[in-house]
Amino acid sequence: MADVPSSGHGQTHTGLVREQNEDALFVEPARGLYAVFDGVGGHSAGDVASALARDVVHAALVEHDGSDWPGAMSTALVRASADVYAEAQRRAERRGMGTTAVVVKLLDRRALIAHVGDSRVYRCRGGEVEQVTVDHTVIAELLAQGVVSQAEALEHPYRNVLSRNLGGQPSTDPELTEVDLREGDCLLLCSDGLSDYASFDGIRRVLTGGGGAELKAKSLVDLALRGGGGDNVTAVVIDYGAPAPRRTQVMRTVGARTWAAEVDSFASEARRLGISTNPVAMAFAPDEPGRLGVAVAEAIANDLQHTTGAHLWTLAESLARDWFARGGEFKDVRELLDILRAAAQQVVGGIGLHDQQSADMLEPAIARAMVVGEIAVGTVLAGRLRGIEEELAARGVQRRWTDAFAARHATLPLEPVPVEPPTPDVVACLEAALGAVEAQLRETSTEEPGVVIDCVERCHRACVEQAGAIDGAQVASDLFGTRLLGEPAIAPLLQAMDRARLLHLAGVNSVTQVEAVVRAAAARRLVTAHHAIGSAVARIVVEAAQPVTDELLEVKAAANRLRSEISANEERMARLENQYDDKTLPGWEPPKLGDEDGPR
Ligand code: CA
């Protein structure tokens, strides 16, 4: 038995993509025993592996006499591995099945953890959350050895390949970990369907927020689903020595209810302020643009109830990411945030007309929710900038944004690249090559976008120019035209240029009626031209990126302003809470609470 009372709750979901749930778990608060298993194996063998491992481990630990917990946990996992392996040998379609396992036993002021694979344990203490297990993946081990960087590990195609599992071999090698616990700490056990689809920040917000283990586990699964739900997701949350609900939490529940009753008035206020014609809101729910107002109000209500910002953060983040991925502009997001903020202020003002105390309590909480939305959008913008920067770096443009800032007015043109004027047989070879490329593009015209043809033709004209230089800047600015910066403009243009260069070179090589030395000269000329044009396009991209940089600076400045507003508001909220605690505000009592789950 755990010496300090604990409560725990597990939640599992198939996710939005997989057909069945191959995760398994057990939750035994009375015994202080908790576990998560994540099965792997084709032909629906993964669920067999995880369920079998769960049953074997559960039976072994429930029967254990309590003398040597580390030994018992290790033995239980090794036995489960033998049983899963034996089962896999019995039927061909189950060969190679296996599972991860993470098992927790609570003891006096500490938790013993045994694990194999990449299911994790996090410990939350105060406002901090740390991962206390090390993933048994090939990449985590390479990372620990310093062979790959943190950034490479996150993006690595083999990041989910396990270095240890349970059942893939007759035996296994469980890792034992011990962490100390204090009253008020909480532990999270999860499968990678949570850690891959909910951001660490989102997880932290839920775990450090209010509510019991059940609300937290449900919120975490919700987060992974909102994050795409690409895998089965399981979360087991353990509250160690769960403290009695504080007066402030009771107050927050009341605040959440007051707000939840205003969801419709928030939505109609947002409609009055023009949300229905905002392009981001229209993209969110094409049939019912006003729907976004309701979704935002509900996310705020959830966050108030659970004392996190996780729901609104996740909503704002996925909304902004979708919008920018479609090529949407920042000003539309800005307008949306302004509408939502104004609508929220109106609603809180309206509450204040009949219930000033609730309005006073809600005002800082709502201001804070709006800041969470702003920062989430700022984070997405920052991520986009990094992406553009990486793309430029990958193409040889080593230019920092600060340099781009300084070079703001250093516009084109770049110096033309000097070359010898082409000889008549090189021109003839290039003409023949152009004919060959055009013939090929006509055959595959449904697949090749017009911009590829455009690249080839403009490059050709630059190459056959009789002047002794190739003016890459001119071609680049023609190609770039009046495009605005955004994914739809940049990435496809750079891809089209790559494709054009390859096609064009193949075209030159296909010209057999000239001598090899002429083909080589034509190819050299072509490569020079493509290089000059590519550099010039990259330079234009850097300059065109400037407005995005400005937008980011604007968002950061707004976020900073709002951060200082938050701390002022938090002081005010703390003051108000103290007043309520001291009962110095006469005439107001929190309404009696009904069911503990609060508004839905
Ligand atoms: Ca998984």
Side-chain angles (χ1 to χ4, degrees):
M1 292 284 285
D3 295 298
V4 176
S6 71
S7 57
H9 183 86
Q11 195 77 20
T12 188
H13 196 286
T14 305
L16 305 176
V17 173
R18 300 286 173 89
E19 285 186 356
Q20 60 179 17
N21 196 342
E22 302 191 335
D23 286 357
L25 72 155
F26 64 73
V27 171
E28 292 258 9
R31 294 187 164 94
L33 279 172
Y34 302 87
V36 167
F37 304 83
D38 177 357
V40 290
H43 303 291
S44 65
D47 59 330
V48 176
S50 60
L52 179 56
R54 174 196 60 204
D55 294 345
V56 172
V57 171
H58 183 256
L61 295 181
V62 164
E63 285 163 11
H64 178 59
D65 63 10
S67 52
D68 169 23
W69 276 109
M73 291 166 78
S74 198
T75 306
L77 292 191
V78 169
R79 183 190 299 172
S81 190
D83 289 2
V84 171
Y85 181 79
E87 181 62 29
Q89 303 315 302
R90 268 195 276 281
R91 295 189 27 197
E93 73 273 18
R94 291 182 179 170
R95 290 277 154 77
M97 72 178 180
T99 180
T100 71
V102 59
V103 185
V104 166
K105 166 67 187 169
L106 296 185
L107 293 168
D108 183 26
R109 312 218 151 258
R110 65 204 163 104
L112 289 175
I113 302 164
H115 88 288
V116 179
D118 64 354
S119 296
R120 295 178 176 174
V121 176
Y122 293 89
R123 182 183 63 187
C124 171
R125 170 170 294 169
E128 298 304 315
V129 171
E130 63 171 324
Q131 184 183 341
V132 295
T133 50
V134 177
D135 293 349
H136 295 150
T137 59
V138 175
I139 289 305
E141 288 180 11
L142 292 177
L143 181 63
Q145 293 163 17
V147 178
V148 298
S149 71
Q150 183 83 43
E152 285 167 336
L154 281 173
E155 296 298 323
H156 203 283
Y158 300 142
R159 63 188 177 279
N160 291 328
V161 175
L162 300 183
S163 56
R164 298 184 210 178
N165 74 10
L166 192 154
Q169 304 283 331
S171 189
T172 191
D173 181 17
E175 182 171 342
L176 288 164
T177 316
E178 187 177 319
V179 292
D180 74 291
L181 290 177
R182 297 183 199 156
E183 253 183 84
D185 283 357
C186 97
L187 294 176
L188 163 67
L189 287 66
C190 67
S191 61
D192 63 348
L194 178 69
S195 44
D196 282 357
Y197 290 91
S199 67
F200 179 76
D201 200 60
I203 293 173
R204 191 180 61 78
R205 282 164 185 274
V206 170
L207 290 180
T208 59
E214 182 172 354
L215 281 176
K216 287 176 188 165
K218 284 179 177 164
S219 290
L220 288 168
V221 168
D222 253 21
L223 279 193
L225 297 179
R226 280 183 199 258
D231 193 1
N232 309 142
V233 48
T234 300
V236 170
V237 176
I238 307 166
D239 281 330
Y240 186 72
R246 286 168 49 225
R247 177 101 169 169
T248 51
Q249 283 168 350
V250 173
M251 294 245 324
R252 282 180 183 132
T253 304
V254 174
R257 288 182 181 196
T258 309
W259 176 262
E262 301 289 337
V263 164
D264 289 336
S265 55
F266 176 85
S268 71
E269 191 58 36
R271 269 196 301 278
R272 194 182 65 78
L273 292 167
I275 198 173
S276 308
T277 55
N278 176 273
V280 186
M282 289 163 80
F284 174 78
D287 300 333
E288 193 199 338
R291 172 73 209 154
L292 180 59
V294 177
V296 167
E298 286 172 350
I300 293 174
N302 260 316
D303 286 340
L304 290 174
Q305 172 73 20
H306 302 168
T307 331
T308 75
H311 290 86
L312 190 67
W313 173 283
T314 307
L315 178 62
E317 195 182 30
S318 62
L319 207 63
R321 187 166 287 142
D322 278 3
W323 181 245
F324 292 137
R326 292 164 188 241
E329 289 184 44
F330 175 69
K331 70 173 176 55
D332 298 321
V333 178
R334 179 71 267 158
E335 181 198 72
L336 177 64
L337 290 169
D338 290 341
I339 290 174
L340 294 173
R341 176 195 306 280
Q345 282 167 352
Q346 281 297 324
V347 170
V348 173
I351 293 170
L353 294 179
H354 57 88
D355 182 356
Q356 190 57 47
Q357 269 120 342
S358 287
D360 284 348
M361 192 174 62
L362 274 173
E363 194 194 330
I366 299 299
R368 184 195 178 114
M370 289 296 138
V371 174
V372 164
E374 298 266 355
I375 295 175
V377 171
T379 306
V380 172
L381 273 178
R384 282 184 77 225
L385 273 179
R386 265 199 307 284
I388 295 169
E389 198 170 13
E390 276 163 18
E391 190 169 318
L392 291 175
R395 282 158 209 277
V397 181
Q398 302 289 338
R399 196 183 295 271
R400 296 179 55 79
W401 291 103
T402 45
D403 297 341
F405 208 52
R408 184 160 191 178
H409 301 293
T411 45
L412 295 171
L414 297 172
E415 288 298 302
V417 180
V419 286
E420 292 292 306
T423 59
D425 43 0
V426 166
V427 171
C429 176
L430 287 166
E431 298 284 0
L434 178 64
V437 174
E438 283 174 341
Q440 191 186 342
L441 286 176
R442 265 197 302 278
E443 277 173 32
T444 59
S445 60
T446 51
E447 293 167 26
E448 297 292 352
V451 64
V452 174
I453 299 169
D454 204 20
C455 288
V456 170
E457 286 175 349
R458 287 176 191 278
C459 185
H460 172 78
R461 283 204 291 281
C463 283
V464 296
E465 198 67 42
Q466 289 301 312
I470 290 176
D471 190 351
Q474 185 56 53
V475 180
S477 58
D478 289 349
L479 274 176
F480 203 79
T482 56
R483 286 163 214 267
L484 293 173
L485 182 77
E487 265 87 328
I490 305 301
L493 176 58
L494 294 174
Q495 275 163 18
M497 288 177 55
D498 256 5
R499 176 84 181 126
R501 184 174 52 82
L502 293 174
L503 277 172
H504 214 160
L505 276 173
V508 168
N509 285 325
S510 74
V511 180
T512 49
Q513 61 270 37
V514 301
E515 287 177 52
V517 62
V518 174
R519 273 204 304 276
R524 267 201 306 280
R525 199 170 180 82
L526 203 59
V527 169
T528 306
H530 274 285
H531 183 75
I533 297 166
S535 313
V537 166
R539 170 83 177 266
I540 296 179
V541 169
V542 170
E543 292 191 358
Q546 192 54 51
V548 179
T549 313
D550 287 344
E551 284 164 8
L552 181 69
L553 291 175
E554 186 190 310
V555 169
K556 278 188 174 161
N560 282 337
R561 256 195 329 274
L562 292 163
R563 270 193 207 101
S564 41
E565 270 178 36
I566 291 187
S567 45
N569 281 331
E570 277 179 341
E571 269 174 36
R572 183 158 168 230
M573 190 159 168
R575 250 193 342 267
L576 283 166
E577 281 169 355
N578 283 337
Q579 285 172 343
Y580 287 128
D581 278 347
D582 297 345
K583 296 193 170 65
T584 50
L585 274 181
W588 189 84
E589 276 296 314
K592 290 265 185 311
L593 298 181
D595 76 65
E596 281 305 312
D597 277 346
R600 285 278 132 215

